[in-house]
Amino acid sequence: MANVIIPNDTRREDVEYIAKKYGIDTNDPAMREAAEVTAARSREAVEMAQQRRRYF
C-alpha cells in the first residue's frame, strides 16, 4: 500500500505560501514536492515549539 497524503486546505495554503515566498514553480513536480516537504516540516517545527516547556 502506498503512503498517500491528501492535502487539506491548511496544507495547500502552507505550500502556496512557501512557493510564493521562495519563488518556486509549482508546475515542476520536483519543486512542488520540495515545497510540500518544506511546508510540512515547518508546520511540525512550529507546533513542537509551541508545546515545548519554557523556563523563563
Side-chain angles (χ1 to χ4, degrees), residues 5-18:
I5 298 173
I6 300 172
N8 58 14
D9 291 336
T10 305
R11 279 184 171 263
R12 261 189 220 106
E13 289 172 4
D14 291 346
V15 170
E16 289 174 11
Y17 175 77
I18 294 294

Side-chain angles (χ1 to χ4, degrees), residues 5-6 8-9 17-18 21 23 25 27 43 46 51 56:
I5 298 173
I6 300 172
N8 58 14
D9 291 336
Y17 175 77
I18 294 294
K21 186 78 170 173
D25 179 22
N27 293 326
R43 178 162 292 283
V46 168
Q51 295 174 2
F56 55 88

Side-chain angles (χ1 to χ4, degrees), residues 1 3 5 7 10-11 16-18 20 22-23 27 35-37 39 45 47-48 52 55:
M1 180 176 217
N3 294 332
I5 298 173
T10 305
R11 279 184 171 263
E16 289 174 11
Y17 175 77
I18 294 294
K20 184 178 178 182
Y22 295 104
N27 293 326
E36 290 173 358
V37 170
E47 288 174 0
M48 290 296 291
R52 188 174 160 196
Y55 296 102

